[in-house]
Amino acid sequence: MTNHIALFEPLMPANTGNIARTCAATGTTLHLIRPLGFQTDDKHLKRAGLDYWDNVNIEYHDDLDAFLATIPDQRYLYLITKFSNLVYSDQDFTDTTHDHYFLFGKETTGLPEDFMRDNPEKCLRIPMTDKVRALNLSNTAALVIYEALRQQQFAGLELSHRYEHDKLK
């Protein structure tokens, strides 16, 4: 079982870089759905200090339909949006016989409204006040993936880490 974070037409390289780091740290596959608002060639990544990029399993998709075609069971697709009454932490992510896919929208406009209206049962929300339009994309992705991993008992992750000095004993 693998968890997946999918970014629909991401615009900001810093957000994608932060999410890629979270994916590297959690063993989560990152899906980037084109068009992207930045380049991911080696020169740009090195300049941005993304030295962990080669530790991220990244899949590129030409559009939303191409991404959706790769999901074997659409019941495990979750659309992260503020337009939902379902709270992300109330969802059960414990089924480890299937991959879980968390789809996040473009920083400026989110996911396509028609797509969300056609799939309200897949839409999940992070509670927040009405004082801001939205949470930062990379913070949102981290919240959601770590909730799924918590429910999955952090399977495959290092639960404790020792100081280098202690490892020598």
Side-chain angles (χ1 to χ4, degrees):
M1 192 274 313
T2 302
N3 288 305
H4 302 258
I5 290 176
L7 305 180
F8 173 75
E9 300 181 359
L11 295 171
M12 300 177 186
N15 281 333
T16 301
N18 287 336
I19 294 167
R21 182 184 297 262
T22 298
C23 289
T26 60
T28 300
T29 298
L30 177 61
H31 299 261
L32 298 178
I33 302 169
R34 293 183 180 101
L36 308 180
F38 50 88
Q39 296 179 20
T40 59
D41 62 38
D42 194 46
K43 178 180 93 175
H44 286 88
L45 296 175
K46 285 184 178 170
R47 187 175 337 141
L50 303 181
D51 56 345
Y52 50 85
W53 195 261
D54 59 342
N55 293 315
V56 182
N57 180 20
I58 301 176
E59 297 183 18
Y60 294 89
H61 306 278
D62 288 333
D63 55 34
L64 183 57
D65 288 336
F67 164 70
L68 294 172
T70 68
I71 301 174
D73 191 338
Q74 297 280 317
R75 291 178 299 165
Y76 297 93
L77 170 64
Y78 309 96
L79 313 179
I80 311 305
T81 174
K82 69 179 184 178
F83 300 104
S84 178
N85 294 323
L86 303 174
V87 175
Y88 80 107
S89 56
D90 292 339
Q91 181 65 44
D92 182 359
F93 304 119
T94 59
D95 185 345
T96 57
T97 62
H98 293 89
D99 289 4
H100 296 266
Y101 294 81
F102 302 99
L103 178 58
F104 297 84
K106 186 187 309 190
E107 291 96 334
T108 54
T109 57
L111 292 168
E113 185 176 337
D114 289 345
F115 178 63
M116 290 189 297
R117 286 185 184 276
D118 290 344
N119 295 283
E121 75 287 355
K122 297 177 184 313
C123 293
L124 301 177
R125 164 185 184 84
I126 296 173
M128 62 183 191
T129 69
D130 62 354
K131 307 294 184 232
V132 296
R133 184 178 54 80
L135 294 171
N136 174 273
L137 179 61
S138 61
N139 293 340
T140 302
L143 281 168
V144 171
I145 198 63
Y146 269 97
E147 173 60 22
L149 290 164
R150 182 192 67 78
Q151 290 184 25
Q152 297 162 6
Q153 307 297 308
F154 298 108
L157 300 183
E158 185 179 75
L159 294 179
S160 64
H161 190 76
R162 297 180 358 172
Y163 292 105
E164 287 300 316
H165 176 73
D166 293 339
K167 291 179 183 177
L168 300 175
K169 293 180 183 178

